[in-house]
Amino acid sequence: MGISKLKLPKVCEHCGKAFEAKSVITRFCSDACILAASRKRKKQALEEEHKQHILQESAATIATIQTRPYISIPEAVVLFGISRNTIHRLIKAGKIPALNLGERLTRISRTHIEAMFTTVAVPEKKPQGQQPIKLQYDPSECYTINEVSEKYEVSPSTISSIIRRNSIPKRQVGKFVYVPKEQIDKILAKK
Ligand SMILES: [Zn+2]
């Protein structure tokens, strides 16, 4: 009896059965379980690889869509996470320019949808003892440059320099530039 009669109680990592292992590194109860576990591992590796492949492909698709000024409706659904119905409604309301290149070949302006879903973002500042700075403005809370010009009788170029000097947030939608009413009023009402 040269071999040590080691008896290590273990639980098979594949079938979960209790067994006596011959060595500390034994993980499975039988050859059948060793084989089955190895098959399972290979299958999981393949599935993981497949998943990665799909992820890479969809990232590549999105990157391509993002470079085009006009995109299809299914592409807009993917890119902006909005429903087809919403898109059709926006087209009907004239909010998104659309080209109809034939049946099921509607192309819509990517930049317009982008502008629509991006609200005016204000760079964060830390005022002391003042009320917190508002971070987003609704279009109804904004003036266009023309409106500011008419209300305060200042030229658009003066307004531009006021916007720049005071770091007033602005947002361009189509040919119009929008600026928050409350910030403009605060500065121009004093003059
Ligand atoms: Zn087993």
Side-chain angles (χ1 to χ4, degrees):
M1 287 249 277
I3 323 158
S4 68
K5 282 268 179 181
L6 209 59
K7 279 184 182 170
L8 285 167
K10 280 212 168 193
V11 172
C12 174
E13 288 180 26
H14 182 68
C15 69
K17 207 172 74 183
F19 71 104
E20 282 179 353
K22 292 187 191 110
S23 94
V24 284
I25 58 161
T26 306
R27 296 167 56 200
F28 305 101
C29 70
S30 61
D31 286 348
C33 277
I34 291 173
L35 197 65
S38 142
R39 280 198 188 120
K40 194 175 159 195
R41 215 168 36 239
K42 276 180 196 151
K43 197 173 161 228
Q44 279 171 345
L46 274 177
E47 276 167 3
E48 185 53 35
E49 204 178 293
H50 184 62
K51 226 188 287 169
Q52 286 304 323
H53 184 69
I54 291 174
L55 276 177
Q56 277 168 10
E57 270 192 343
S58 81
T61 307
I62 287 174
T64 317
I65 300 171
Q66 278 173 329
T67 62
R68 297 205 308 265
Y70 278 85
I71 61 179
S72 72
I73 289 172
E75 285 168 346
V77 169
V78 171
L79 200 56
F80 298 101
I82 45 178
S83 74
R84 274 167 178 277
N85 283 344
T86 305
I87 297 168
H88 284 297
R89 207 168 43 241
L90 290 169
I91 295 173
K92 233 176 179 177
K95 297 235 170 89
I96 314 173
L99 303 170
N100 203 346
L101 307 174
E103 193 158 335
R104 294 184 183 277
L105 280 174
T106 302
R107 292 291 177 273
I108 50 181
S109 163
R110 178 180 53 80
T111 46
H112 274 77
I113 316 178
E114 240 163 43
M116 203 169 290
F117 289 95
T118 324
T119 38
V120 175
V122 181
E124 226 175 314
K125 272 186 212 155
K126 298 240 160 66
Q128 282 172 339
Q130 287 173 27
Q131 63 180 67
I133 283 182
K134 210 168 170 222
L135 289 176
Q136 291 193 331
Y137 292 91
D138 199 66
S140 67
E141 300 173 294
C142 296
Y143 292 126
T144 63
I145 301 295
N146 278 345
E147 286 169 344
V148 181
S149 181
E150 272 166 32
K151 181 167 181 187
Y152 291 103
E153 296 177 329
V154 262
S155 71
S157 66
T158 308
I159 297 163
S160 293
S161 79
I162 289 171
I163 291 170
R164 227 175 310 121
R165 269 207 315 276
N166 296 280
S167 318
I168 295 173
K170 58 179 181 177
R171 168 184 167 200
Q172 177 130 17
V173 180
K175 357 177 238 186
F176 298 106
V177 173
Y178 291 90
V179 284
K181 285 180 183 172
E182 68 170 28
Q183 298 205 20
I184 291 291
D185 287 341
K186 214 191 294 174
I187 291 159
L188 287 173
K190 283 184 208 154
K191 303 201 172 196

